Amino acid sequence: MKRSSLIIAAAFALASSTVAFAGPAEDLIAKEKCNKCHTEKTTKKGPSYAAIAKKYAGDAAAPAKLLKGLKEGGKMGDEEDHKKVPGSEADLKAVVALILSAK
Ligand code: HEC
């Protein structure tokens, strides 16, 4: 009994540390339903994250540009009135990093 609860506790600690590492960006993307229009690999209403990453590959200004776009909404790429994304600066940065690292 004691032993199995220890194992459960260890498994839980492991799982939650993984979530903490990959967390805020995925959470925000899920919460804001970005997946309605964007997925990692397929083009829906908006481009896939992989396509966005490819478009901005080698562009050192991309993270700041996309961060501003997400924070303020309005024009992004060819979209004239993109959704404005609520969230802390740190979380939005994490979202941008996630998108730009998609393959
Ligand atoms: C209603 C559909 C829709 C939703 C919801 C949506 N987007 Fe978009 N998004 C678009 C379209 C359309 C574009 C423009 C595509 C283009 O330039 O061809 C775009 C462009 C982008 C771009 C790249 C713009 C560029 O400069 O090329 C990023 C980054 C982005 N969206 C992130 C997000 C994130 C993060 C969310 C969720 C918070 C989100 N989008 C939710 C439709 C959507």
Side-chain angles (χ1 to χ4, degrees), residues 5 7 10-11 22 26-27 30-31 35 48 56 59 64 70 81 84 88 91 98-100:
S5 54
I7 291 171
E26 277 99 346
D27 283 358
K31 197 170 103 202
N35 291 358
S48 68
Y56 287 107
D59 181 350
L70 293 182
D81 190 19
K84 181 171 160 179
S88 69
D91 286 0
L98 187 81
I99 292 173
L100 290 177

Side-chain angles (χ1 to χ4, degrees), residues 28-29 32-38 45-47 49 52 55-56 65-66 70 76-79 82-85 95 99:
L28 197 65
I29 286 173
E32 295 302 322
K33 305 191 169 57
C34 314
N35 291 358
K36 256 191 342 200
C37 301
H38 302 282
K45 209 169 162 184
Y49 298 136
I52 297 172
K55 171 177 165 187
Y56 287 107
K65 190 175 154 189
L66 294 184
L70 293 182
M76 275 188 90
D78 293 334
E79 170 67 23
H82 196 272
K83 181 181 168 65
K84 181 171 160 179
V85 190
V95 168
I99 292 173

Side-chain angles (χ1 to χ4, degrees), residues 5 9 12 19 30 40-41 59 64 69 72 75 78 80 82-83:
S5 54
F12 184 73
V19 170
E40 200 165 329
K41 291 189 201 303
D59 181 350
E72 296 173 6
K75 184 156 171 58
D78 293 334
E80 292 297 332
H82 196 272
K83 181 181 168 65

